[in-house]
Amino acid sequence: GDASFGASSRESLPRFDALVGEVAVQCLYAFIAAFGVTLLLAPFGGPTVGQLLAIGEVGAWLSPWDAMRVDEIEAAAALNTDGSVSPWVGASVGLTAACAELFRLGVLTDILSPNNGAQAAVEQDVVLSSSAALPSPPSSVSFPHSKSLQYSAAQMEQMRPLFKICGRCGAQAPALVSIVVWQLAIALAEEMYYRGFLQSALRFVASMFPSLPPLLLAEAVPLVFAAAIFGLVHTEFVPEEVAEPSGDGASSDSKLRWFLITGSYGALYGLLFVLCGHTLQAPICMHAGINIGLCLRDWQRMQNTPSGTLEAMFASNVEKA
């Protein structure tokens, strides 16, 4: 019957137009955040984009053609005057943290050994991506004992772009590449805004009040506030009709629940930002790593989900794409 996709439903490559559309939107967000850092923070003593990325004074440039030479960038990084770590160290810390969290959730086991059955529950599927919407799913790759895809309404709305970008792509390598590119763009955009701009701006404002406790004001308050905004924005995926838990508390689409989960991850990214000398490699890599793992796990589950079921799941509100 409809237990797997027919040949006509399979595609050898992801939807390139959908991928480009999603990445373009995220690049625009990242540019706006970087522009805010350059225009509103750097001229007044705040961090530059280059300092946030631990690559020198990029973002303090007065013109796009006035780039620093490689040796100047390396010399600036070597000074390390603000306690920041090297980009490679930050990236390694972020990826290690992402792997640890994916292991805790059981996602790594699900991805690497799908034939042993998935161990991550559906309620752990709240991915920390902020993306829009896009269309359709596959099955040239078989994962015999992996779970089929099951989403709540909010999870389905959040992961609609995954369905549209590589849902029908039955080849694992192209699907993985598309997921990595998409999620790196999301992580860069969100971390540049929430940690690079918002948390840094709050730290900068806090520095104007030296009489207040420095650790509490300069680090804790900006971290918590930025994480709260991060969590609040991600509640947009929860439809209004299921915004509150049911009487038995079984709803996984409570706005409060989504706020607490995503806000907690935002706080973790903010903590990495602080511990790595207010540079973004660690939070970007952890953010992207977790999202990539969850998306790859869900792509595998799409292979085990009947095409009719997937089409029905994502058919509603498809015009939002």
Side-chain angles (χ1 to χ4, degrees):
D2 196 29
S4 62
F5 289 93
S8 61
S9 298
R10 300 173 184 170
E11 296 179 0
S12 59
L13 294 173
R15 295 288 182 88
F16 183 72
D17 58 337
L19 176 61
V20 170
E22 284 293 321
V23 170
V25 169
Q26 298 305 322
C27 287
L28 177 61
Y29 292 157
F31 175 79
I32 292 172
F35 186 74
V37 169
T38 302
L39 188 66
L40 301 178
L41 297 183
F44 306 100
T48 67
V49 173
Q51 290 168 343
L52 290 170
L53 296 175
I55 55 175
E57 294 302 314
V58 179
W61 302 340
L62 297 178
S63 58
W65 55 85
D66 190 23
M68 294 176 64
R69 298 190 304 275
V70 173
D71 57 341
E72 292 175 324
I73 294 176
E74 292 176 347
L79 291 176
N80 202 23
T81 55
D82 62 350
S84 62
V85 301
S86 74
W88 295 110
V89 171
S92 298
V93 169
L95 289 175
T96 300
C99 289
E101 177 62 7
L102 290 173
F103 179 79
R104 185 187 73 83
L105 295 174
V107 176
L108 279 184
T109 303
D110 203 7
I111 293 172
L112 299 177
S113 303
N115 292 346
N116 294 329
Q119 297 182 15
V122 171
E123 58 267 21
Q124 294 173 322
D125 287 356
V126 180
V127 185
L128 307 180
S129 63
S130 72
S131 31
L134 298 159
S136 280
S139 179
S140 63
V141 179
S142 177
F143 302 97
H145 303 291
S146 179
K147 284 184 177 180
S148 60
L149 194 68
Q150 297 179 13
Y151 278 154
S152 68
Q155 291 164 352
M156 181 176 63
E157 190 58 38
Q158 186 185 40
M159 298 308 292
R160 190 182 298 275
L162 175 66
F163 172 68
K164 188 167 187 177
I165 291 171
C166 58
R168 286 197 176 101
C169 177
Q172 189 168 25
L176 176 59
V177 170
S178 66
I179 288 171
V180 169
V181 171
W182 171 42
Q183 291 301 329
L184 279 175
I186 287 176
L188 174 61
E190 293 197 341
E191 295 310 311
M192 181 61 72
Y193 176 72
Y194 290 104
R195 261 54 70 178
F197 177 68
L198 185 57
Q199 190 168 329
S200 294
L202 293 170
R203 286 185 67 245
F204 182 67
V205 171
S207 68
M208 299 178 182
F209 301 91
S211 61
L212 296 175
L215 182 61
L216 173 65
L217 191 65
E219 300 294 359
V221 172
L223 187 158
V224 171
F225 186 85
I229 298 299
F230 181 81
L232 185 63
V233 168
H234 283 79
T235 63
E236 69 180 1
F237 295 109
V238 181
E240 290 300 325
E241 59 269 21
V242 291
E244 299 299 330
S246 58
D248 58 4
S251 174
S252 64
D253 278 349
S254 162
K255 281 187 178 291
L256 176 60
R257 181 177 182 277
W258 273 65
F259 171 77
L260 292 175
I261 292 176
T262 56
S264 296
Y265 278 105
L268 184 56
Y269 302 149
L271 181 60
L272 284 181
F273 177 65
V274 172
L275 294 179
C276 291
H278 305 100
T279 56
L280 291 173
Q281 275 82 4
I284 286 174
C285 288
M286 183 179 183
H287 191 155
I290 291 175
N291 286 2
I292 289 167
L294 289 169
C295 286
L296 182 58
R297 192 263 325 261
D298 284 0
W299 176 82
Q300 288 182 345
R301 291 181 176 182
M302 286 181 180
Q303 313 310 302
N304 285 14
T305 303
S307 58
T309 301
L310 283 173
E311 294 291 350
M313 286 173 62
F314 291 99
S316 61
N317 301 318
V318 73
E319 66 274 5
K320 292 182 180 180

